Amino acid sequence: MEYRKLGNTSLELSTITYGAFAIGGNMWGGNEQKDSIASVKASIDHGVTTLDTAPFYGFGLSEQMIGEAIKGYDRSKIQLLSKFGLVWDGSNQGKGEFFFDAEEAGKKIPVYKYASRANVMKEVEESLQRLQTDYIDLLQIHWPDSTTPIAETMEGLELLIQQGKIRAAGVSNYSVPQVAEAQKSVNIASNQVGYSMLNRGIEKELVPYAREHNLGIIVYSPMERGLLTGKYLESGQLKDNDHRNGYFQQFDLEKVKVFLDTIRPIAAAKNATLSQLVLRWTSLQPAIAVVLAGARNADQAIANAKAMEVDLTAEELQFINTALAKI
């Protein structure tokens, strides 16, 4: 495993970081809690010291399971990353920006973006309880909230740093102008954004900005929610309540299949899976500090961790990029 310093902070994170969205269950067709906890433990045992979660993932369940899974480990050697700013329980009292209706047990649950200073302080206390810890290594606003001034949100993060409840502040899904505005109020360590072989939009503005300002980029959905594993292009079946049934339709699936077949021999030559090849390619892109990878069980977690053992030459990277250009 490789460990990388995050931005201009003292945090060192495992390049492959455990992404805990799917273990929350909502939107992913559910998962067995014992398998989820086993996947977290297996990750840690194989060098993945960084775990990324959020209150919204399973409406608190993901954080609770992370808290249970890390019992017995040296907390000082584990980096917990969480978020705030998505509210679903009505505690925003009608404030904030409506985001979408989530579904849980057949019921629609309205979710709002709400990142007032007071809500930042409230949510972190709830996360600390669920995670069973007294500090969070990196706290990130989950999505921009157009109804709250960025400076107000960042003031809350700065206060939490001063109180010792968080070690560093980050943002998620922020544009370059939003990051620049946030940095006026607090030292922003990172921006967590979607990025993959099929989604390279951040390379135009965010990557150059990050390199110039020593901002860490944390990548989510590098596997495009499983599409780049190739298994859903063959015989993989998704449950009816799995959001990926619609998500995958944005891509030209035939071209994706041709691309994966083109790079498959590279993975085979290295005794690696397509997933490991994709994760390793992602980790080698400019300004990328951390690559989030989800796992539903211990075997998947171990495979993700071993992606960093895949050695790619400059020629192989160029071959992959040339194949990508044809999609």
Side-chain angles (χ1 to χ4, degrees):
M1 183 55 61
E2 292 180 8
Y3 302 90
R4 298 177 181 175
K5 194 166 173 287
L6 187 66
N8 54 7
T9 72
S10 62
L11 290 178
E12 284 199 358
L13 311 183
S14 54
T15 302
I16 297 296
T17 285
Y18 185 94
F21 188 3
I23 68 170
N26 59 330
M27 300 173 62
W28 292 85
N31 199 44
E32 291 291 338
Q33 289 193 32
K34 61 179 177 60
D35 291 339
S36 296
I37 292 176
S39 70
V40 177
K41 291 179 177 290
S43 294
I44 298 172
D45 293 341
H46 286 79
V48 176
T49 61
T50 312
L51 313 172
D52 180 89
T53 184
F56 170 69
Y57 301 161
F59 303 117
L61 180 59
S62 176
E63 285 187 325
Q64 290 172 11
M65 284 193 287
I66 293 293
E68 287 296 320
I70 64 174
K71 286 182 178 179
Y73 290 96
D74 185 344
R75 173 67 179 88
S76 68
K77 296 181 179 179
I78 294 173
Q79 302 83 48
L80 294 180
L81 283 48
S82 197
K83 308 178 188 73
F84 68 92
L86 290 188
V87 179
W88 67 88
D89 58 4
S91 60
N92 57 325
Q93 298 179 326
K95 299 177 182 178
E97 174 187 354
F98 176 74
F99 192 14
F100 71 105
D101 283 320
E103 286 195 15
E104 181 76 358
K107 293 171 50 180
K108 286 189 176 181
I109 301 176
V111 177
Y112 287 80
K113 301 174 186 176
Y114 185 52
S116 71
R117 182 177 180 276
N119 190 60
V120 177
M121 310 306 289
K122 171 183 176 292
E123 283 201 58
V124 78
E125 295 297 338
E126 295 169 346
S127 289
L128 289 171
Q129 289 182 12
R130 287 190 288 257
L131 291 166
Q132 302 182 56
T133 188
D134 56 2
Y135 71 95
I136 293 170
D137 294 273
L138 178 71
L139 187 66
Q140 310 151 93
I141 179 172
H142 208 147
W143 284 88
D145 167 23
S146 64
T147 69
T148 302
I150 288 176
E152 177 185 337
T153 302
M154 299 304 134
E155 286 167 8
L157 286 171
E158 177 61 33
L159 180 56
L160 289 170
I161 291 174
Q162 294 172 8
Q163 293 175 344
K165 293 180 179 179
I166 67 173
R167 292 180 62 195
V171 297
S172 299
N173 303 299
Y174 261 39
S175 66
V176 167
Q178 288 170 328
V179 173
E181 181 66 25
Q183 287 181 316
K184 294 177 182 178
S185 302
V186 67
N187 174 35
I188 296 298
S190 58
N191 189 8
Q192 183 175 144
V193 291
Y195 178 72
S196 75
M197 288 176 160
L198 306 179
N199 172 24
R200 301 174 69 178
I202 66 168
E203 294 177 3
K204 183 177 181 180
E205 294 184 358
L206 181 58
V207 167
Y209 180 91
R211 299 181 78 175
E212 181 181 352
H213 294 85
N214 196 16
L215 178 78
I217 295 179
I218 299 176
V219 170
Y220 68 79
S221 293
M223 300 302 304
E224 283 302 349
R225 311 187 191 188
L227 179 61
L228 290 173
T229 65
K231 64 183 179 180
Y232 297 111
L233 294 171
E234 302 297 337
S235 58
Q237 298 295 318
L238 300 172
K239 294 184 179 180
D240 290 342
N241 62 338
D242 195 312
H243 74 288
R244 291 173 293 179
N245 285 301
Y247 182 83
F248 288 164
Q249 298 309 308
Q250 67 182 290
F251 303 107
D252 186 325
L253 298 181
E254 185 55 39
K255 286 186 176 180
V256 172
K257 185 178 186 303
V258 170
F259 166 70
L260 293 178
D261 287 341
T262 301
I263 67 170
R264 200 182 298 273
I266 297 178
K270 298 177 183 297
N271 197 28
T273 65
L274 272 176
S275 298
Q276 290 170 327
L277 180 63
V278 171
L279 289 175
R280 187 59 172 141
W281 176 92
T282 308
S283 76
L284 292 170
Q285 301 312 298
I288 304 304
V290 165
V291 181
L292 302 186
R296 290 175 175 267
N297 55 55
D299 289 343
Q300 290 179 3
I302 294 168
N304 289 342
K306 290 185 175 181
M308 293 303 293
E309 298 176 7
V310 177
D311 183 30
L312 290 175
T313 66
E315 292 75 17
E316 288 166 337
L317 285 169
Q318 183 56 52
F319 179 86
I320 292 171
N321 290 337
T322 299
L324 270 177
K326 298 177 181 178
I327 297 182

